[in-house]
Amino acid sequence: MWFLHELLDLAQHYGVLVIALLGAVLGFAFRRGAKRRLAIVEAPTGRQKLPVRVWTLVAVTGAWIFAVLLISLVFRDEDKGRFEAPEIHPKVVENVFGIHGLSISPTLLTTWGIMAVLVGLALLLRLTVLRRMKQNPKGVQLLLETMVEGLDKYVGDKLHGMSVSFGAYIFALALLLVCSAAVELLGLHAPTADINMAIGLSLITYFLVNYYGFKRKGFFGRIKSYLGIRPANEPGLRCGQKVKAEMKQLAKPQTIAAPFRILSDLVVPLSLSCRLFGNMFGGMVIVELLYWALHHRAVGIPSVAGLFFNVFHPLIQAFIFVTLTLSYIEEATAEE
Amino acid sequence: MDVTAIGAGLCMLAAGGAGLGMGMATGRAAEAVGRQPEAAGKINSIFLLGLALTESTAIYGLLTALIILFVK
Amino acid sequence: MGGLAELVSPEEILLHILNMIILFLLLRKLLYKPVRKFMQERKEGLAASLEEAEQAHAKAEKLKIEYEARIADAEENARARALEITAAANASAKTMAESARAESVALLDKARDDARQERAKALDGMQQQVATLAVGVAERILQREVNKSDSERLAAAFFQDMEKGGEMA
């Protein structure tokens, strides 16, 4: 009776498959009927919505089991072994562009790809839309104008009197962060999940903070703001008297807080980069773990979880990055 | 026994504090919106900003754990 | 933490910063500035046209007030002229009425004179006939021929008595 074993095995596999397929199709059909019947009733109670929900559950479960079994039949089930996490420093790509001995990290390649796409899109828009701009915008022009105006208003809310170039920098930064979140959805290693990129971006921000701070307040003014000294601006004071008046303010207890303020100012680039890098890399690791844990059953579940980790979190982090940049610059240029 | 795993596990205790803080912030935000529903937009943006900043402490913990585990 | 230093390589950081700067410059030149310029122009154009519309509106209001004043003036003029004309018409009507009355009075007098003449003529004729009739009657009564001159003498005396008595109606 050896064939009974085989038959049982076969029945187990294909039987479940057929049952799952049947469940999916029937569930879908009955769900449609129940929905139509429900549409006539006004203000349905929970009890009346029950048939639709039951049939939805049956249909989705059936479809999922069917897809999983199909995949496991088509591709042989292998043991994945130890979990190979994505490297923090991604593997360097050798012999890029056919040039012997040139090795570039894939982050740079992805970044160049994103830049090419963005610049290509900008050129396209420049040549088609910007030529014939209408008074009442529609479609793509409306989208562009909304973005530019929204950003202008956001930057202008926090900081007044900034040059146009600053808004353009924020525009480029926001686009880069959003595009890298989109690239992660395609399965590539996101460029902002590289610690060098995150450090680079936060260094630019730190440079901008210092630049605007020094421009607005002057070199000594900045140091004085660390020490908590209000600038003595009464007219008629000569230089020596002004210095004395300001030195007198050092006798307050807020002078002790000066080193902490300097330290927290130095920590700014570190915290920005770590926040960005940690979020992106952590999201990637979690989704990879999910894919590894469900070998062939990874149908639909990682995409739902990936929605949270690969779409929501990166976008929020992009928004936070931009907001924090503006906040730090505002703090550095605030008049006391 | 791999001690690095224990170290990495200990790092993730930072997430506890972050979760507590974010839960309290959410509760206060919900209360504020219930008290004055017209300010829901502003409360929303302040709330999201605070959440992201608080979450960064948990992310620092995660980062340290990852570095301990994966950097040889 | 020796492995950590391998992660961070300054050359890559520099490259990334350069990438970011290039992206920023390109996007600013291609998209940001033209869109912003267009939006500014449109806002200015709208503001200018709004101002123009307001000016035209103010001008129209002024003109309207002017025209209304002028219309009121014209109405008053018309009213005064109407009063004048009615007065003149009344006066002329009065004179015409008076002249008509005078004419009618004259006509009436003339008619009365005419009627009197006719009456006198008729009276004379009737006198002759009545005299002849009376003589005939008297002849019959007297049965004799009466003298023509006697008869005429009698008739004249009869009529004088009648006229003394009163007008013959």
Side-chain angles (χ1 to χ4, degrees):
Chain A
M1 309 235 276
W2 55 273
F3 56 88
L4 199 63
H5 210 68
E6 290 263 347
L7 203 64
L8 220 61
D9 211 17
L10 217 64
Q12 195 176 27
H13 264 158
Y14 288 118
V16 178
L17 203 70
V18 167
I19 291 177
L21 187 62
L22 218 65
V25 169
L26 285 178
F28 190 63
F30 278 119
R31 180 174 178 269
R32 269 226 302 225
K35 259 190 106 152
R36 215 176 297 137
R37 241 171 285 139
L38 193 65
I40 306 176
V41 178
E42 328 220 318
T45 63
R47 188 75 199 273
Q48 282 168 327
K49 284 196 212 166
L50 193 59
V52 177
R53 290 190 179 146
V54 165
W55 286 121
T56 314
L57 195 65
V58 166
V60 167
T61 316
W64 187 73
I65 294 182
F66 174 69
V68 162
L69 284 180
L70 200 65
I71 290 180
S72 82
L73 275 183
V74 170
F75 306 97
R76 297 288 152 217
D77 192 9
E78 315 172 325
D79 191 12
K80 280 268 178 81
R82 193 164 182 274
F83 175 58
E84 278 180 24
E87 307 270 326
I88 290 189
H89 199 119
K91 236 173 205 302
V92 167
V93 173
E94 307 269 339
N95 297 333
V96 136
F97 295 140
I99 302 178
H100 223 44
L102 187 67
S103 55
I104 304 183
S105 92
T107 313
L108 261 177
L109 288 173
T110 319
T111 312
W112 281 337
I114 292 182
M115 274 172 64
V117 164
L118 278 177
V119 170
L121 216 74
L123 266 176
L124 192 72
L125 283 176
R126 170 70 176 251
L127 290 177
T128 58
V129 171
L130 291 184
R131 281 292 162 80
R132 353 182 202 108
M133 278 219 183
K134 306 190 258 280
Q135 291 300 325
N136 297 340
K138 282 192 202 127
V140 177
Q141 191 191 345
L142 186 63
L143 182 72
L144 260 181
E145 286 202 0
T146 318
M147 281 200 301
V148 169
E149 190 171 332
L151 241 141
D152 244 355
K153 214 190 309 184
Y154 193 59
V155 170
D157 258 350
K158 298 234 173 178
L159 312 155
H160 306 283
M162 282 296 177
S163 56
V164 180
S165 308
F166 187 62
Y169 171 66
I170 300 287
F171 186 58
L173 184 68
L175 271 181
L176 183 72
L177 290 174
V178 166
C179 279
S180 79
V183 157
E184 186 159 356
L185 280 178
L186 294 175
L188 298 175
H189 189 97
T192 44
D194 193 11
I195 193 150
N196 297 317
M197 181 84 174
I199 292 183
L201 287 176
S202 53
L203 275 181
I204 297 183
T205 301
Y206 191 54
F207 166 72
L208 277 175
V209 165
N210 273 337
Y211 170 68
Y212 279 119
F214 282 128
K215 195 165 88 152
R216 206 46 94 80
K217 290 199 176 161
F219 183 65
F220 287 113
R222 194 116 197 263
I223 298 189
K224 274 189 240 164
S225 77
Y226 282 140
L227 293 172
I229 298 176
R230 276 169 214 282
N233 269 340
E234 293 134 25
L237 281 182
R238 279 177 298 131
C239 186
Q241 284 177 331
K242 236 205 272 192
V243 168
K244 220 162 82 170
E246 283 163 7
M247 283 301 166
K248 255 206 275 194
Q249 292 185 21
L250 275 179
K252 294 195 202 146
Q254 68 195 11
T255 315
I256 304 184
F260 293 113
R261 269 195 239 192
I262 298 183
L263 198 64
S264 81
D265 208 30
L266 283 177
V267 148
V268 160
L270 190 68
S271 87
L272 272 179
S273 61
C274 278
R275 183 178 298 119
L276 187 65
F277 167 65
N279 263 299
M280 305 291 281
F281 190 66
M284 226 172 58
V285 165
I286 289 182
V287 171
E288 291 263 348
L289 264 175
L290 212 58
Y291 270 114
W292 174 78
L294 326 156
H295 302 272
H296 53 271
R297 303 191 194 94
V299 178
I301 297 181
S303 70
V304 172
L307 200 70
F308 188 66
F309 287 113
N310 279 351
V311 175
F312 182 63
H313 255 120
L315 286 179
I316 293 247
Q317 288 310 311
F319 172 67
I320 291 291
F321 196 91
V322 166
T323 308
L324 276 179
T325 307
L326 292 169
S327 288
Y328 286 140
I329 294 186
E330 182 193 4
E331 193 184 314
T333 60
E335 307 292 325
E336 302 244 353
Chain B
M1 192 166 83
D2 210 359
V3 192
T4 54
I6 297 185
L10 277 177
C11 273
M12 282 318 291
L13 286 179
L20 194 69
M22 293 204 288
M24 278 174 62
T26 313
R28 298 291 172 88
E31 198 181 335
V33 167
R35 202 175 293 191
Q36 194 180 13
E38 305 97 46
K42 277 201 193 145
I43 292 179
N44 209 15
S45 54
I46 295 183
F47 168 61
L48 274 179
L49 191 73
L51 270 191
L53 283 174
T54 321
E55 192 165 350
S56 58
T57 41
I59 295 292
Y60 295 156
L62 177 69
L63 200 67
T64 316
L66 286 174
I67 290 182
I68 288 179
L69 278 182
F70 294 124
V71 175
K72 294 177 252 312
Chain C
M1 281 272 187
L4 195 55
E6 293 170 359
L7 292 178
V8 180
S9 69
E11 308 99 28
E12 282 212 23
I13 297 180
L14 228 63
L15 271 175
H16 282 126
I17 294 182
L18 238 98
N19 270 337
M20 190 64 207
I21 293 181
I22 293 179
L23 184 69
F24 150 65
L25 285 173
L26 279 172
L27 274 180
R28 173 178 83 162
K29 183 153 149 30
L30 286 177
L31 270 187
Y32 199 74
K33 277 204 167 149
V35 171
R36 232 182 100 94
K37 197 166 66 136
F38 180 72
M39 273 168 48
Q40 292 275 52
E41 276 175 13
R42 185 170 66 187
K43 216 186 325 185
E44 279 168 14
L46 269 178
S49 75
L50 252 177
E51 222 182 88
E52 237 184 77
E54 258 198 40
Q55 274 185 2
H57 189 70
K59 217 189 317 183
E61 282 272 345
K62 214 164 48 154
L63 272 178
K64 188 169 98 157
I65 291 179
E66 220 182 275
Y67 284 147
E68 268 182 13
R70 229 186 273 177
I71 284 179
D73 262 350
E75 266 188 24
E76 273 195 28
N77 277 353
R79 209 172 294 144
R81 272 206 54 83
L83 278 175
E84 255 176 59
I85 286 180
T86 16
N90 277 345
S92 76
K94 220 183 282 177
T95 45
M96 269 192 349
E98 280 187 11
S99 70
R101 200 175 301 140
E103 260 188 47
S104 69
V105 160
L107 267 176
L108 259 178
D109 281 345
K110 189 155 147 282
R112 213 174 281 146
D113 283 343
D114 277 346
R116 212 173 284 151
Q117 278 182 12
E118 294 273 320
R119 203 181 69 204
K121 216 189 325 180
L123 212 61
D124 273 343
M126 229 172 55
Q127 269 183 348
Q128 293 283 345
Q129 284 185 2
V130 162
T132 337
L133 199 63
V135 165
V137 163
E139 271 187 5
R140 298 256 157 114
I141 294 177
L142 293 179
Q143 286 178 356
R144 65 166 170 116
E145 267 185 32
V146 178
N147 210 354
K148 244 204 169 132
S149 61
D150 277 336
S151 63
E152 278 171 2
R153 211 173 10 108
L154 277 173
F158 172 63
F159 277 122
Q160 268 182 10
D161 283 341
M162 284 247 34
E163 272 174 19
K164 273 196 197 120
E167 275 297 309
M168 222 154 98

